[in-house]
């Protein structure tokens, strides 16, 4: 797994697929415009899924600053450090949903990159892995498809909303001075190659 500001990426090295796990608590709950849910700040779009009754080995690193992967119920708390690979393991015997958090202060949204692990019976796990592999294969084939502008914009909006909007804001105005506005910036309007590269 890889820590990012501010999300986790889970890579199933032997099975050729990976995904990002983003906090899914609605912004309206955080800003007190809506009642807080049962798993406030401890819920994600894509949980890590592991089989029960088996030792599961984790390799941890990070892509920007030091994070730390912590699930109290597993007794696991391990730093994820750029340029290093740490390892740890767990064995979960009771199926269920387990929750944790990043536990190394890693910047503005440190409190917004929770960990959710779903431990499921092995058969269910194998089915899930097969599905994920199929989806990853489909995604690889999509790179050969001719996209319409509407399709691209829809995908772009989804990616922006989950990966970029927490700093750059939905309307691109950013949070200066730490996160300058994209809207109207030289990077967005003039340096197209540099923009795409980032
Ligand atoms: Cu972190």
């Amino acid at each position: 797994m890889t820590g990012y500001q501010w999300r986790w990426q889970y890579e199933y090295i032997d099975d050729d697929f990976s995904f990002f796990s983003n906090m899914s608590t609605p912004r309206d709950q955080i800003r007190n415009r809506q009642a807080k849910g049962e798993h406030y700040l401890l819920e994600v779009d894509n949980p890590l899924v592991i089989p029960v009754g088996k030792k599961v080995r984790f390799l941890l690193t990070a892509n920007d600053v030091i994070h730390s992967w912590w699930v109290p119920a597993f007794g696991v708390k391990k730093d994820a450090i750029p340029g290093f690979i740490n390892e740890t393991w767990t064995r979960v015997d009771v199926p269920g949903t387990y929750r944790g958090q990043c536990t190394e202060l890693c910047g503005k949204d440190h409190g917004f990159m929770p960990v959710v692990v779903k431990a499921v019976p092995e058969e269910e796990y194998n089915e899930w892995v097969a599905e994920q592999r199929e989806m990853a294969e489909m995604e690889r084939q999509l790179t050969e498809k001719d996209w319409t502008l509407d399709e691209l914009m829809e995908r772009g909006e989804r990616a922006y909303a989950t990966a970029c909007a927490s700093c750059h804001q939905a309307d691109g105005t950013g949070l200066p001075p730490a996160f300058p506005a994209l809207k109207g910036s030289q990077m967005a309007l003039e340096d197209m190659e540099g923009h795409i590269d980032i």
Side-chain angles (χ1 to χ4, degrees):
M1 59 191 73
T2 304
Y4 285 81
Q5 287 175 311
W6 290 275
R7 56 187 54 79
W8 293 97
Q9 184 187 30
Y10 297 120
E11 202 175 339
Y12 290 68
I13 293 172
D14 295 336
D15 287 302
D16 278 336
F17 68 89
S18 70
F19 54 85
F20 284 94
S21 184
N22 299 284
M23 187 185 72
S24 59
T25 301
R27 295 272 141 189
D28 278 352
Q29 288 188 15
I30 296 165
R31 297 192 179 133
N32 291 321
R33 287 196 287 248
Q34 197 184 315
K36 299 190 190 310
E38 187 191 352
H39 301 297
Y40 180 66
L41 302 187
L42 294 175
E43 52 203 336
V44 299
D45 51 1
N46 303 306
L48 177 71
V49 179
I50 60 172
V52 293
K54 285 189 119 177
K55 268 191 186 173
V56 180
R57 182 172 177 236
F58 301 127
L59 302 177
L60 299 97
T61 188
N63 199 46
D64 34 44
V65 300
I66 301 174
H67 302 268
S68 190
W69 197 83
W70 177 45
V71 179
F74 297 170
V76 170
K77 179 180 182 186
K78 200 81 182 175
D79 280 357
I81 307 172
F84 289 80
I85 294 178
N86 276 341
E87 69 169 312
T88 186
W89 64 276
T90 192
R91 181 193 148 130
V92 180
D93 287 324
V94 183
T97 301
Y98 298 84
R99 296 174 199 274
Q101 286 172 294
C102 178
T103 183
E104 180 65 52
L105 183 58
C106 62
K108 166 183 160 293
D109 281 357
H110 164 60
F112 301 87
M113 50 179 294
V115 172
V116 180
V117 183
K118 253 177 79 179
V120 299
E122 194 172 355
E123 204 173 299
E124 195 180 327
Y125 174 76
N126 291 337
E127 268 168 40
W128 178 83
V129 167
E131 246 168 61
Q132 297 300 310
R133 292 183 66 130
E134 215 171 283
M135 271 164 53
E137 183 51 38
M138 261 168 57
E139 196 67 28
R140 278 189 278 271
Q141 284 170 13
L142 284 179
T143 56
E144 284 157 34
K145 167 185 152 125
D146 280 325
W147 294 84
T148 67
L149 185 60
D150 283 346
E151 286 172 328
L152 287 172
M153 287 185 70
E154 199 221 303
R155 277 174 79 88
E157 186 177 353
R158 244 187 296 146
Y160 187 88
T162 51
C164 318
S166 64
C167 298
H168 294 293
Q169 305 297 294
D171 62 1
T173 52
L175 291 169
F179 304 103
L182 285 176
K183 192 179 169 187
S185 72
Q186 211 184 347
M187 179 59 100
L189 295 177
E190 285 156 43
D191 185 7
M192 209 45 89
E193 247 170 61
H195 189 182
I196 288 169
D197 196 40
I198 281 181

